[in-house]
Amino acid sequence: AARLPGYTELFDKLEKDLEAVSDLIENDVKATKAEADEAWVAFKKGIVAICVVATVLEMAGVWWLVRSITLPLAQAINVADAVAAGRLDNKISTAGRDESGKLLSSLGKMQSHLLERAETDARKAAEMARIKNALDRVASSVMIADVEGRIIYMNESIKTLFRNDETDIRKDLPNFRAEGIIGSSVDI
């Protein structure tokens, strides 16, 4: 040790300097690890935020999609129920070009056709009532059969005739009953 007196001092200084460098490296590693941990936490928070935003957007999209289907279908159901109940004056929105819009458009056409048919049937029924009323009041005996030969109408004049002459008619037709003629065949 006496031969190298300056060496020991230099070695001690080098050892202290290396310890200081080692401490600097260790502190730098700790700081880098802390920064990496903070970056990882921030990254995870960002991913969570993105997932939350994506979920909210997805839920909004699903809500919009469901509403775009269910609202027109609910309107179609309401219209169908109203038509089934005999109300043929429903306002139907036919603006959509999708399947729901096509369904509502078809319901609108059906409602229009049913309304036309109901008006035509009402006119025909009124005409038939007037004809029946006239036939009921005519003095001549009138009996009408359908295309299959079943008696569907008799005015009061012929009913009276058959009731008054029932005994005489039974001589030729033993099963004849004046009250049972409607619905029977003209070939009594």
Side-chain angles (χ1 to χ4, degrees):
R3 287 188 309 169
L4 300 171
Y7 176 75
T8 306
E9 289 174 17
L10 285 173
F11 186 76
D12 288 341
K13 184 178 183 230
L14 178 64
E15 191 175 28
K16 286 180 188 178
D17 288 344
L18 286 175
E19 279 180 35
V21 168
S22 176
D23 288 344
L24 284 173
I25 291 172
E26 188 176 330
N27 289 339
D28 193 38
V29 166
K30 286 180 184 178
T32 302
K33 182 181 181 321
E35 287 174 10
D37 288 346
E38 287 176 20
W40 178 247
V41 168
F43 175 75
K44 287 194 300 187
K45 286 180 181 178
I47 292 295
V48 168
I50 289 170
C51 288
V52 167
V53 168
T55 300
V56 168
L57 289 175
E58 183 178 350
M59 289 173 62
V62 167
W63 177 82
W64 176 83
L65 180 64
V66 167
R67 298 268 303 168
S68 70
I69 294 170
T70 58
L71 285 179
L73 286 180
Q75 183 185 10
I77 290 168
N78 290 337
V79 168
D81 287 344
V83 168
R87 291 189 311 274
L88 301 175
D89 60 347
N90 303 288
K91 293 188 184 217
I92 302 173
S93 170
T94 57
R97 299 273 185 239
D98 58 0
E99 286 76 13
S100 298
K102 291 175 184 177
L103 173 63
L104 288 168
S105 179
S106 293
L107 282 172
K109 290 175 189 174
M110 179 186 72
Q111 178 177 263
S112 293
H113 293 304
L114 286 172
L115 184 58
E116 288 173 16
R117 184 180 301 163
E119 289 169 351
T120 300
D121 290 350
R123 275 194 311 276
K124 287 180 180 179
E127 290 171 11
M128 295 301 286
R130 285 192 299 276
I131 292 169
K132 182 183 180 304
N133 191 26
L135 290 173
D136 285 344
R137 294 186 185 344
V138 74
S140 300
S141 297
V142 178
M143 182 169 51
I144 299 174
D146 64 13
V147 294
E148 295 169 358
R150 282 190 318 263
I151 299 168
I152 58 171
Y153 173 80
M154 292 176 15
N155 72 352
E156 199 55 44
S157 177
I158 198 164
K159 286 178 185 177
T160 302
L161 173 77
F162 283 142
R163 275 193 300 267
N164 291 341
D165 294 342
E166 186 170 3
T167 305
D168 291 335
I169 296 172
R170 279 191 180 200
K171 291 176 186 172
D172 293 324
L173 300 168
N175 294 328
F176 179 81
R177 286 182 24 249
E179 298 302 322
I181 296 176
I182 298 285
S184 65
S185 173
V186 291
D187 296 329
I188 299 176

